[in-house]
Structures are given as structure tokens and as C-alpha cells.
């Protein structure tokens, strides 16, 4: 089965990004496909490469980056939600005249159309939120 | 992408206080370009999103309630509101904005987009969808 995943809460405050991560791994282990994960609302904060949690805690962003690299998952961050919350890739930082970008490897910034497209193209859409 | 799916956007939160309502509406507006079979559901505090006479001047947050009245232009014409959620909050349909659309299959007659349904009917509406996005 093709499964689309949405993460709609931020890291550490909510468990949604962790649960989604475990869900995606389990789905893949059981022979399902997860072509894309879409990050929306505060979920976009998962994509910051500047996160430095204590060493004895899980590193949510690194986990996703590794999973995307390992399994070829398309991690999409909503551009409108990201810009509100100060998440920029290099192109957007330049375009908006900002002095830094902060998107982690494995994530890409794109539009909400990617969420709708995922809903159309997958057999199930699963949201992880509050 | 010729396939048409039934998309339901479920709105459960008050319009201000959190960003869910606004960012849900942004998905609906973008999603309209994909020509899917779209419905919106309003339940729990989500029914407050459709109330008339919203004034956000005191909180310094943009009032986006007028945008709901433009949904008809995006072919989003099914706004289901749960009766029990209205009742529980002391609201009636008269407290909601008049939101209409022009029916192209009926000589562009102006028709109400809001349909108040029971909790049981809402469950059926949810069960009949292909994609449910919850906000």
C-alpha cells in the first residue's frame, strides 16, 4: 500500500514527529511504500538543521534526515508555514534578503500542492498531530 | 492526475488562539486548483470559525473570516456544520455567516453552502471520504 504521511506538530513539544517516524519505519519494514512525508503547521520546525538536543535524547531532525537518505523518502516542508516560522532554504533566504538559511539535508521546501498531490496519489493519508 | 477523490477538511479549533483554522483554509484554497470533490466539516470549537461579526482588532491578528465567503468562487460549496457542536456552545445557524455559491447546474442560482447536519450524519460524511485532513 502507498501511504502518505503528514506531520503537523513541532518536535519535542509534541510526540507527533516521533510517532510518525516510527510509523514510517514500521510501514516500510512491512512492505508498504511511503513516497512522501509532508510537514505542516509547527511540524515544519522538524526541518531545522540548527537543533541541538542533549546528547542522551533522540535527535528528531537527524532521524528524519537519515531515514530520508536511507529509504529515499521525499520530505516536503510547506513554504508558507515555514516562512512564518523562520525556516528558509538557501534560495528563499536569498530571495527574502535574510542572512542565513537553516533547512536540514533531506528536506525540501515546496508548496501545499504537494500535500494535495500526495492525498491523490496515495492509498491512505495518515496525519500525525495534536 | 485525472482521478477525482473525495477530500474532507475537518475543522475542530476556534478561528484564533491557534493557527490551525487559518492554515486549514490555506490548504483548502490551494487544493481547489486540483479539482477534487471537496467538503469542509466544522465541529467542536471549529463552528466558531463561521460565526458572523468577527472583530480581531483587539488581538492584532488578521481577521480571515471573510475568506469563507469566497469559497464558492473556488467551487468549494459543501460546508457541513455539526448541530450538536452549535447547541453545546449556545449557537444557532443564525449566528453563522451567510455563505453561498452559484450553482452552475441550476442557471447559476444562489444557494447556501452551509448545511447543518447531526453528529450521526457527520460520521457518515466522514466515512464516505477518500482523504480526511484534520485541523
Amino acid at each position: 500500500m502507498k501511504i502518505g504521511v503528514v506531520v503537523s506538530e513541532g518536535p519535542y513539544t509534541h510526540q507527533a514527529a516521533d510517532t510518525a517516524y516510527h510509523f514510517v519505519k514500521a510501514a516500510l519494514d512491512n512492505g508498504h511504500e511511503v513516497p512522501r512525508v509532508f510537514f505542516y503547521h509547527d511540524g515544519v520546525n522538524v526541518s531545522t538543521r540548527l537543533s541541538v538536543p542533549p546528547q542522551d535524547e533522540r535527535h528528531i531532525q537527524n532521524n528524519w534526515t537519515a531515514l530520508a537518505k536511507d529509504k529515499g523518502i521525499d520530505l516536503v516542508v510547506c513554504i508558507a508555514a515555514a516562512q512564518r516560522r523562520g525556516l528558509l532554504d538557501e534560495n528563499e533566504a536569498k530571495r527574502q534578503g535574510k542572512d542565513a538559511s537553516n533547512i536540514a539535508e533531506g528536506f525540501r521546501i515546496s508548496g501545499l500542492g504537494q500535500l494535495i498531490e500526495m492525498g491523490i496519489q496515495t492509498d491512505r493519508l495518515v496525519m500525525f498531530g495534536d | 492526475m485525472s482521478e477525482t477523490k473525495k477530500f474532507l477538511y475537518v475543522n475542530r479549533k476556534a478561528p484564533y488562539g491557534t493557527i490551525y483554522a487559518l492554515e486549514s483554509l490555506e490548504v483548502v484554497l490551494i487544493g481547489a486548483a486540483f479539482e477534487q470533490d471537496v467538503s469542509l466539516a466544522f465541529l467542536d470549537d471549529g463552528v466558531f470559525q463561521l460565526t458572523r461579526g468577527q472583530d480581531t482588532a483587539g488581538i492584532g491578528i488578521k481577521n480571515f473570516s471573510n475568506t469563507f465567503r469566497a469559497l464558492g468562487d473556488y467551487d468549494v460549496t459543501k460546508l457541513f456544520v455539526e448541530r450538536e457542536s452549535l447547541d453545546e456552545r449556545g449557537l444557532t445557524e443564525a449566528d453563522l455567516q451567510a455563505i453561498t455559491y452559484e450553482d452552475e447546474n441550476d442557471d447559476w442560482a444562489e444557494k447556501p453552502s452551509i448545511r447543518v447536519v447531526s453528529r450521526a450524519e457527520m460520521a457518515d460524511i466522514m466515512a464516505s471520504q477518500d482523504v480526511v485532513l484534520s485541523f
Side-chain angles (χ1 to χ4, degrees):
Chain A
M1 184 180 282
K2 236 183 231 180
I3 304 170
V5 171
V6 182
V7 176
S8 63
E9 290 294 346
Y12 302 105
T13 306
H14 291 261
Q15 200 182 317
D18 297 283
T19 312
Y21 171 74
H22 295 303
F23 173 86
V24 170
K25 284 216 302 189
L28 295 171
D29 286 347
N30 284 279
H32 299 292
E33 291 173 60
V34 183
R36 178 177 294 161
V37 178
F38 192 87
F39 295 84
Y40 198 44
H41 299 319
D42 277 357
V44 299
N45 289 302
V46 172
S47 70
T48 176
R49 67 167 182 265
L50 302 182
S51 161
V52 189
Q55 283 194 351
D56 59 348
E57 283 184 28
R58 82 269 189 226
H59 195 305
I60 295 175
Q61 171 263 308
N62 279 0
N63 282 347
W64 279 106
T65 294
L67 189 65
K69 198 171 182 182
D70 194 27
K71 307 289 186 184
I73 302 169
D74 186 21
L75 304 183
V76 179
V77 181
C78 169
I79 186 163
Q83 290 190 339
R84 282 198 180 99
R85 293 164 177 85
L87 276 297
L88 300 168
D89 64 10
E90 263 181 55
N91 283 339
E92 275 307 306
K94 218 173 272 176
R95 207 169 68 87
Q96 305 288 346
K98 298 292 184 184
D99 62 1
S101 66
N102 54 349
I103 296 295
E105 192 188 337
F107 294 83
R108 68 183 177 96
I109 287 192
S110 189
L112 281 165
Q114 303 277 308
L115 168 59
I116 307 298
E117 185 187 79
M118 181 172 77
I120 295 169
Q121 293 177 348
T122 55
D123 302 304
R124 291 280 189 283
L125 188 136
V126 187
M127 274 187 98
F128 293 85
D130 195 7
Chain B
M1 282 190 299
S2 55
E3 190 186 357
T4 300
K5 283 191 172 181
K6 296 185 74 167
F7 274 70
L8 178 69
Y9 298 90
V10 181
N11 298 287
R12 295 179 180 273
K13 306 252 178 29
Y16 312 102
T18 65
I19 200 168
Y20 300 102
L22 173 64
E23 288 192 335
S24 169
L25 196 52
E26 289 185 345
V27 182
V28 172
L29 295 174
I30 297 287
F34 287 77
E35 298 186 346
Q36 302 296 301
D37 181 357
V38 173
S39 301
L40 273 58
F42 296 86
L43 50 148
D44 301 342
D45 280 348
V47 297
F48 284 113
Q49 294 181 28
L50 298 179
T51 53
R52 61 172 78 232
Q54 294 179 26
D55 179 1
T56 60
I59 54 174
I61 295 175
K62 188 170 79 177
N63 179 351
F64 60 90
S65 60
N66 288 342
T67 311
F68 288 108
R69 291 208 294 273
L71 287 176
D73 299 335
Y74 291 82
D75 286 329
V76 176
T77 60
K78 290 176 283 190
L79 277 58
F80 297 103
V81 178
E82 192 183 79
R83 183 181 310 284
E84 286 86 342
S85 292
L86 288 173
D87 290 345
E88 286 159 7
R89 288 158 183 81
L91 297 172
T92 69
E93 198 169 351
D95 294 308
L96 306 181
Q97 298 189 66
I99 300 175
T100 58
Y101 71 102
E102 293 174 341
D103 188 350
E104 58 179 318
N105 299 316
D106 190 9
D107 198 23
W108 305 101
E110 192 163 298
K111 297 185 176 178
S113 298
I114 292 180
R115 298 172 219 182
V116 177
V117 299
S118 70
R119 192 158 279 168
E121 288 170 316
M122 189 63 92
D124 291 339
I125 290 164
M126 288 185 179
S128 71
Q129 303 296 319
D130 296 310
V131 180
V132 179
L133 292 154
S134 189
F135 296 99

